[in-house]
Amino acid sequence: MNKYNVKFFAPPQYILNLFATNKLCARRIKCEERAVQCELNFDDYLCMQKICEKAQLSYETITIKGAQHALKIAVKKIGAIVGILAVAIGFMIYNSGVFSVEISGNSAISREEIITEITKECGNIYGAFSTIDINSVEQAVLNIDGVSYVSADIVGTRLKINMVEEATKVEIYDTQNYTNIVSLYDGIITTLTVISGTGMVGVGSVVAEGDVLIAAYTLDAEGNEIPTSAEGTATGRVAFEKQITYTDECLVEVRTGESTTVTSINIFGLQSPTTSPYLTYETEINTTLCTAFLSYEISSITYYETAMIVSENNFINNQEVIIEQERAAFFDTLPDDLLYITDWYFVKRLDKMTLLSIYYEVETTMT
Amino acid sequence: MSFFNETLLKLGCSAEDSIGGDKVTLIGGEGCQIEGQKGVAHISLEKIAIKTSKHIICIEGEGLQIVSINGDEALIVGKIASITRTKKCTNI
């Protein structure tokens, strides 16, 4: 039986009367001026606890002695050790398994197709104590048509597959049926080099998109058309045009300044759900992958409230800057093999809007 | 029947002294045991007064201490000079 050495902070007479009226057995009593220290058994200790709570008496348990207490402590210690071991084993089991697959670099080949192929080659991927072989995984992915490179790795409980697909197949030119070389743009021919076939235009000719530049035949001495492949190059002056309209007023989605950040944990492939408190919002997600001991992802999701407001278009005020930006952006979209000749633009005021037309005249390959 | 109750019967005492009465056992002047106690009326190093159902037992001496108490008994140690038993209505 446990013995509790307790000190009660109250006048001795009061405490001793509490023992007497509640029929509690107190031993080794030491009375002080305003405190009593004594020894109680477990039942009496519990009873006194209740009495002290009721009477709002302060007390202090100084020592606990007894075989029962010693056994309790031992059980607690053993329980703690067993608990720690169980948790450690649990972590080991968890970390030894694969619970999610991350595939990057695939566009034409679907994730399902890749996983099916891996499962065929290596068996079940997911589960604790997964003995999945990385080389087999790589080989399985490489066996899929259209994969040129693959690297696989297990990070924590995640199987990461990084792959590169083969480049898209180049167009095969038909060498059996002869075709004409036609103009890609409207423009004026500046050079024409015919290697094979018959040139249909000359330098200075104005051509439209689709006009034949080099025909796929040659003429014999009698003027008969003899089919042949059309080969050669043609360059010309081409004007590229781009038109942009700016309305005087437009709806713009802006952040109201209100934001809420929530944290989501992804563990065992399960992500704790989060919802935005706003009707319209923008989302910003910062994800941290923790694999030091227990593999899990912590995502900090920030929801920014947004609202649609009518904004005045500031085209007129910033006309020069906007035009310069648009010209530069338009120039970047033009063919690479060009020779810049000139450019110009028009700004035309329409009803509640402004029309910006940008022109680039360049010399480029027409075929 | 206990030895104590037998003694009471031989002395011709009333039954209430046996059932619910009090009993003081002096232990060589260095302590005493009081049975049938109902609470502590006074406590100091020189004087301890213990309530029983109808009486108050007053112990005087030096270095008096209650070392053990339960619902029925109280054990007092110290140099006991006198023990008096008075009716409850008497002031102490």
Side-chain angles (χ1 to χ4, degrees):
Chain A
M1 184 64 86
N2 288 335
K3 285 176 183 173
Y4 294 80
N5 198 334
V6 192
K7 193 170 190 175
F8 298 96
F9 299 95
Q13 191 178 329
Y14 178 61
I15 297 295
L16 293 174
N17 278 327
L18 280 179
F19 292 149
T21 50
N22 290 289
K23 301 190 187 308
L24 307 177
C25 183
R27 294 190 182 85
R28 299 179 197 277
I29 299 169
K30 286 176 191 167
C31 294
E32 294 169 22
E33 197 177 342
R34 293 197 63 80
V36 176
Q37 189 176 334
C38 64
E39 201 174 88
L40 298 170
N41 65 30
F42 180 64
D43 293 337
D44 293 345
Y45 174 73
L46 290 182
C47 189
M48 265 319 272
Q49 268 188 329
K50 285 177 189 167
I51 292 165
C52 288
E53 277 170 25
K54 219 178 208 176
Q56 295 185 334
L57 281 177
S58 59
Y59 67 96
E60 183 189 350
T61 307
I62 296 166
T63 54
I64 304 169
K65 289 176 189 169
Q68 201 179 350
H69 179 66
L71 187 67
K72 210 173 176 182
I73 290 170
V75 167
K76 268 186 186 172
K77 277 183 184 172
I78 292 166
I81 292 165
V82 170
I84 290 166
L85 281 173
V87 169
I89 291 166
F91 283 156
M92 281 170 66
I93 291 169
Y94 174 64
N95 281 329
S96 66
V98 171
F99 292 96
S100 62
V101 179
E102 185 182 307
I103 301 170
S104 59
N106 62 317
S107 57
I109 304 163
S110 71
R111 175 188 167 83
E112 287 69 31
E113 193 183 342
I114 295 163
I115 289 175
T116 309
E117 205 61 39
I118 296 169
T119 311
K120 259 190 224 168
E121 184 81 20
C122 314
N124 188 25
I125 305 168
Y126 302 104
F129 299 118
S130 176
T131 52
I132 195 160
D133 180 29
I134 294 298
N135 292 331
S136 306
V137 171
E138 288 179 347
Q139 196 54 50
V141 180
L142 272 176
N143 289 343
I144 302 169
D145 284 340
V147 177
S148 63
Y149 166 81
V150 65
S151 75
D153 194 12
I154 293 175
V155 181
T157 59
R158 178 168 296 193
L159 173 63
K160 290 182 98 170
I161 297 169
N162 183 24
M163 57 187 284
V164 178
E165 291 179 357
E166 285 173 359
T168 49
K169 286 173 183 173
V170 292
E171 196 179 336
I172 298 167
Y173 293 104
D174 188 355
T175 54
Q176 302 301 313
N177 301 308
Y178 303 124
T179 52
N180 300 324
I181 294 174
V182 296
S183 173
L184 292 175
Y185 313 108
D186 298 345
I188 303 164
I189 299 296
T190 51
T191 62
L192 178 71
T193 309
V194 179
I195 299 168
S196 172
T198 306
M200 302 299 286
V201 292
V203 173
S205 300
V206 177
V207 293
E209 183 183 342
D211 284 356
V212 177
L213 302 180
I214 302 167
Y217 63 84
T218 51
L219 296 171
D220 63 5
E222 293 171 357
N224 298 318
E225 290 181 6
I226 300 165
T228 183
S229 61
E231 288 180 47
T233 57
T235 58
R237 288 173 64 177
V238 180
F240 291 98
E241 179 192 3
K242 183 186 181 184
Q243 289 189 332
I244 310 152
T245 53
Y246 296 91
T247 51
D248 293 348
E249 285 183 344
C250 60
L251 276 175
V252 185
E253 190 176 12
V254 291
R255 290 182 181 181
T256 61
E258 293 289 320
S259 67
T260 305
T261 303
V262 292
T263 305
S264 171
I265 296 177
N266 185 343
I267 190 164
F268 292 108
L270 301 168
Q271 183 143 17
S272 55
T274 59
T275 50
S276 167
Y278 310 119
L279 197 63
T280 55
Y281 57 89
E282 287 175 0
T283 311
E284 204 173 276
I285 302 172
N286 291 318
T287 302
T288 310
L289 177 64
C290 306
T291 55
F293 187 54
L294 178 67
S295 180
Y296 60 95
E297 270 182 8
I298 298 176
S299 300
S300 175
I301 304 165
T302 307
Y303 295 106
Y304 294 97
E305 190 186 28
T306 59
M308 300 298 284
I309 59 161
V310 177
S311 170
E312 281 190 14
N313 213 323
N314 56 356
F315 176 77
I316 302 299
N317 297 335
N318 299 309
Q319 186 172 336
E320 287 179 10
V321 177
I322 292 171
I323 290 170
E324 202 52 46
Q325 284 173 350
E326 291 296 345
R327 280 175 62 200
F330 183 38
F331 188 77
D332 289 341
T333 63
L334 299 181
D336 293 333
D337 57 337
L338 62 79
L339 183 68
Y340 170 81
I341 299 170
T342 183
D343 72 289
W344 66 96
Y345 64 86
F346 296 118
V347 177
K348 192 175 180 182
R349 183 78 190 136
L350 302 173
D351 182 31
K352 291 184 180 175
M353 66 173 74
T354 308
L355 177 69
L356 169 65
S357 303
I358 302 169
Y359 297 91
Y360 268 96
E361 188 176 352
V362 297
E363 189 172 332
T364 185
T365 307
M366 303 285 277
T367 54
Chain B
M1 188 177 286
S2 70
F3 172 73
F4 177 59
N5 289 346
E6 268 185 55
T7 313
L8 287 175
L9 282 174
K10 281 174 189 173
L11 289 171
C13 293
S14 63
E16 66 177 23
D17 287 329
S18 171
I19 306 159
D22 54 63
K23 179 187 167 190
V24 180
T25 311
L26 187 64
I27 309 160
E30 296 294 325
C32 74
Q33 186 190 20
I34 299 166
E35 289 177 53
Q37 62 90 10
K38 298 291 178 194
V40 181
H42 177 82
I43 184 165
S44 68
L45 289 172
E46 292 79 31
K47 185 177 172 181
I48 290 173
I50 302 288
K51 290 185 278 185
T52 64
S53 56
K54 289 181 179 173
H55 299 89
I56 288 177
I57 296 165
C58 189
I59 299 136
E60 289 179 295
E62 289 172 25
L64 297 176
Q65 273 193 330
I66 299 173
V67 292
S68 172
I69 195 166
N70 62 25
D72 189 55
E73 296 170 356
L75 183 63
I76 296 160
V77 295
K79 205 169 185 180
I80 294 170
S82 68
I83 300 173
T84 51
R85 183 168 178 264
T86 50
K87 281 276 182 188
K88 255 189 179 171
C89 55
T90 312
N91 287 329
I92 34 171

